[in-house]
Amino acid sequence: MKRREFLAGMAAASGVGWLASHPLLAESATTDKVLPVDQLVTLETRSAIERGLNFLARRQVRSGVLQGAFGSGGYASGVAVTSLAGLAFLCSGSTPVAGQYARNIRECTRFLLRHTRDSGYIASDSSHFSNMYGHGYAMLYLSQILGMSNSEAVMEKLKLAVEMTCNIQNQHGGWRYQPVKQDADLSITICQIMALRAAHDAGLQVSEEVRAKTVDYVKRSQNSDGSFRYTLRGGRSTLALTAAGVVSLYSAGIYEGEIVEKALKWMIDRKPGVARGQTVSPMNYYYAHYYAVQAMWHAQLKHPEYWNTWYPAIRDELLQVKRAQDGTWPDERVGPEFGTAMACIILQIPYNYVPVFAP
């Protein structure tokens, strides 16, 4: 069942909070204007995805204490890259029990379960870069696995992770790099709220108070021009942060209104290939487009033209500009496993196989 179908039924019973359905779900005529999948995911794109996923499958650690892990750069053997690689496999249609990458998915899951601490914090002992980014991505991934498998082991670990995340939300409604109550920034906060929404969809309890505080934090992070800034005190406003802000609101059940419309308009003026006084930093490139493609994927229900122009633009940029000759997507800071996993997730969004990404 697609996420929107599940949520539409649940929202009819509850009507509020995390389970609020998109107000345009019943207007099927709107989605008829969206370009068909085979026109978006071309033969060249499918071939590129296959090469990328096969690269990831080959790079997964096969044995030892790091079995199931990914990463050869600064984040080697961390939970962030492992979770994103697992999501890339899920986006292809594989599951823990079926599909070309079922074994890889199971190994990702085992690695993450082994690295879920008694406190609920999901972090690799071998990585010096473990932080709340990785914890959030791991919760997101495990939520999808739980929905597909009903695994008691996954349920137990994920419940611990969700409880810890809720308990360390700071007074303003956000989260920061380490698993303690302190300052917050929007880039970390989106990782947590999206993961909490996914966990809630999978059947875990996440309080309405946590959601309400997060919504307030995100709304107060928006600038007058529609963009979002790094912290409440200020900081840079970028495509990455603005896309994260939109997806945060979607994850909290807020799908329309001035705050969303202004942000989408700000983003569409900065789609790939359009120079408008700002380019995406190489350091944040994949992070930015991971959230931007999700924002436009959701926006298709009201603005099909946004999605119809955004996806081909990022698809062509990934295929023609960012991809290396060996078929991978390099990333100087984190490594090719990270870049390739992110690129494969972005390119596979139209398949609509993973519930948490579905509008």
Side-chain angles (χ1 to χ4, degrees):
M1 178 183 292
K2 295 177 181 177
R3 181 190 184 195
R4 64 173 178 241
E5 295 168 344
F6 169 77
L7 292 179
M10 292 296 289
S14 65
V16 295
W18 294 93
L19 292 175
S21 65
H22 197 295
L24 296 175
L25 290 180
E27 299 181 19
S28 58
T30 303
T31 56
D32 289 343
K33 299 176 184 177
V34 175
L35 293 174
V37 174
D38 58 358
Q39 190 171 334
L40 294 168
V41 188
T42 62
L43 286 173
E44 179 188 10
T45 309
R46 290 199 291 272
S47 176
I49 292 167
E50 183 177 4
R51 289 189 68 183
L53 293 176
N54 286 340
F55 165 78
L56 291 174
R58 293 194 305 271
R59 299 286 288 199
Q60 190 172 30
V61 178
R62 296 296 185 191
S63 61
V65 295
L66 299 179
Q67 183 174 348
F70 292 84
S72 57
Y75 287 73
S77 305
V79 301
V81 179
T82 301
S83 301
L84 291 166
L87 285 168
F89 292 134
L90 292 176
C91 284
S92 74
S94 288
T95 73
V97 296
Q100 182 176 354
Y101 303 105
R103 177 173 177 259
N104 302 98
I105 290 168
R106 292 194 297 270
E107 291 298 336
C108 287
T109 304
R110 290 174 185 136
F111 176 82
L112 295 174
L113 294 181
R114 290 200 306 273
H115 289 87
T116 303
R117 304 176 185 180
D118 292 342
S119 65
Y121 186 39
I122 309 175
S124 172
D125 297 332
S126 62
S127 174
H128 297 297
F129 294 92
S130 289
N131 55 41
M132 290 296 288
Y133 280 120
H135 176 81
Y137 291 138
M139 282 201 301
L140 181 68
Y141 170 79
L142 290 175
S143 295
Q144 304 314 288
I145 297 300
L146 179 60
M148 297 175 183
S149 66
N150 292 319
S151 165
E152 291 186 8
V154 173
M155 172 67 84
E156 177 185 350
K157 299 291 188 178
L158 185 57
K159 184 178 179 181
L160 289 174
V162 167
E163 289 176 350
M164 188 211 77
T165 301
C166 292
N167 288 336
I168 63 169
Q169 184 182 35
N170 85 342
Q171 60 179 336
H172 300 297
W175 291 265
R176 195 63 160 160
Y177 285 93
Q178 297 303 319
V180 293
K181 281 189 177 182
Q182 54 181 25
D183 197 7
D185 72 67
L186 190 59
S187 67
I188 292 286
T189 296
I190 171 54
C191 293
Q192 311 313 311
I193 189 171
M194 191 174 176
L196 291 176
R197 173 60 185 264
H200 192 279
D201 290 354
L204 277 75
Q205 293 298 314
V206 182
S207 77
E208 176 62 20
E209 180 183 1
V210 169
R211 172 192 172 275
K213 287 175 63 177
T214 302
V215 169
D216 180 66
Y217 176 84
V218 173
K219 286 182 175 180
R220 289 192 291 143
S221 299
Q222 190 175 40
N223 300 310
S224 60
D225 64 357
S227 65
F228 285 80
R229 60 186 178 275
Y230 186 53
T231 70
L232 294 179
R233 296 189 304 273
R236 65 191 184 277
S237 298
T238 64
L239 176 65
L241 291 168
T242 304
V246 173
V247 176
S248 294
L249 294 171
Y250 286 150
S251 295
I254 298 173
Y255 300 99
E256 57 183 359
E258 183 181 9
I259 189 170
V260 173
E261 292 300 318
K262 287 176 66 176
L264 289 172
K265 187 178 185 302
W266 190 93
M267 288 177 61
I268 205 68
D269 286 341
R270 292 158 176 82
K271 70 181 178 182
V274 176
R276 188 63 68 87
Q278 183 191 58
T279 57
V280 178
S281 165
M283 186 171 66
N284 298 321
Y285 180 84
Y286 293 107
Y287 178 93
H289 287 294
Y290 168 80
Y291 288 113
V293 77
Q294 292 180 57
M296 294 302 166
W297 180 232
H298 284 264
Q300 66 172 281
L301 295 172
K302 187 172 184 180
H303 299 287
E305 71 279 7
Y306 286 3
W307 171 249
N308 289 344
T309 57
W310 191 280
Y311 179 84
I314 186 57
R315 176 199 65 200
D316 293 348
E317 186 166 287
L318 285 172
L319 296 184
Q320 299 169 14
V321 179
K322 296 297 180 180
R323 191 164 54 131
Q325 290 186 345
D326 64 358
T328 65
W329 282 270
D331 182 87
E332 294 181 2
R333 185 169 65 109
V334 185
E337 295 87 353
F338 168 75
T340 301
M342 283 294 220
C344 287
I345 291 171
I346 292 165
L347 293 172
Q348 294 180 102
I349 286 292
Y351 289 158
N352 208 26
Y353 284 134
V354 178
V356 73
F357 296 137

